[in-house]
Amino acid sequence: MEEAVWSIAALSGLLVFSQLSPGPDVILVFRTALARGFRGGIAVGSGISLGFAIQAAIACTLGAWVMQLSLCTYLLWAAAAWLLYLAWKIFPKSSSKTELELADERSHTPYTVLLWQGFLCNILNPKCMLFILTLSAGSIKAHSNIPWYTAALIIAFTAAGWLGWALWSALLQWAPLRRQYLRHTRVIDAVFALLLAGFAVLLLAA
């Protein structure tokens, strides 16, 4: 039993650090945490975590079967369309406004909308489920004799994911970093938008 607990802890820790790898979830949380502060980052991170909880539950139980369904192709298309929409929303459109005015304008999006954006960004991407499968399959097989292991792993993954987003959102509130964002809002948002569009293209090419 002790080995099973350590296994869950190790996989959860790995999940937190994997959040720093390039991907649409990371881009969305980082950009929102810079533009809207800690609460904005948490709102998006909570939506992503909700989607991740659903994906983790499926991946740890029926994941291998679900990944073989043709539905995954349509989800990839939907995810690509959603990322392109987010890229369009983020990309600066008014050349007459100052950087501070742009940042202030985007501070009015309700947190519930940010949560919904994070949820859709995660749940529409079946590659997230593939990642969970890769991370957990061997461990679930090794501890298949422990009845509570899979459920505990799903809960631990969800909690670790949320705590990870909270950690990165908090670190992005470092004053010099936020000052640079406010000073160069247009350029930084354009970069985030292009990255999201790039991930959309990669999903369509998959």
Side-chain angles (χ1 to χ4, degrees):
M1 183 176 294
E2 183 178 349
E3 181 185 347
V5 172
W6 278 110
S7 169
I8 291 174
L11 290 173
S12 299
L14 181 60
L15 173 65
V16 171
F17 285 102
S18 72
Q19 290 175 328
L20 290 176
S21 61
D25 289 356
V26 177
I27 297 300
L28 191 58
V29 170
F30 279 26
R31 186 268 172 185
T32 307
L34 285 170
R36 294 292 306 273
F38 178 72
R39 291 178 66 185
I42 282 292
V44 172
S46 296
I48 291 172
S49 297
L50 179 59
F52 191 85
I54 296 172
Q55 297 234 41
I58 296 172
C60 292
T61 52
L62 304 172
W65 173 71
V66 170
M67 289 303 295
Q68 295 176 1
L69 299 179
S70 59
L71 175 65
C72 290
T73 300
Y74 298 108
L75 283 177
L76 285 174
W77 292 351
W82 177 247
L83 292 180
L84 288 172
Y85 169 75
L86 289 178
W88 175 79
K89 290 283 287 183
I90 290 173
F91 197 86
K93 299 174 186 64
S94 175
S95 58
S96 62
K97 295 184 179 179
T98 66
E99 309 293 86
L100 287 175
E101 285 173 330
L102 281 172
D104 181 66
E105 182 183 84
R106 288 161 188 172
S107 69
H108 301 300
T109 305
Y111 290 114
T112 51
V113 173
L114 295 178
L115 186 145
W116 181 242
Q117 288 178 351
F119 174 75
L120 287 179
C121 186
N122 180 272
I123 199 67
L124 288 174
N125 188 357
K127 287 192 173 183
C128 176
M129 193 181 299
L130 180 60
F131 168 74
I132 301 171
L133 272 171
T134 303
L135 194 63
S136 63
S139 185
I140 290 175
K141 184 177 180 180
H143 300 94
S144 59
N145 60 319
I146 302 176
W148 51 263
Y149 184 84
T150 299
L153 187 61
I154 294 169
I155 294 170
F157 273 178
T158 304
W162 187 88
L163 289 172
W165 295 130
L167 171 63
W168 307 130
S169 295
L171 291 176
L172 287 168
Q173 305 316 303
W174 186 44
L177 194 60
R178 284 191 56 74
R179 278 198 300 270
Q180 289 300 313
Y181 174 78
L182 293 175
R183 189 174 302 167
H184 305 289
T185 298
R186 196 183 309 276
V187 173
I188 295 173
D189 278 358
V191 170
F192 280 133
L194 290 173
L195 287 171
L196 286 174
F199 284 117
V201 171
L202 289 175
L203 286 177
L204 290 173

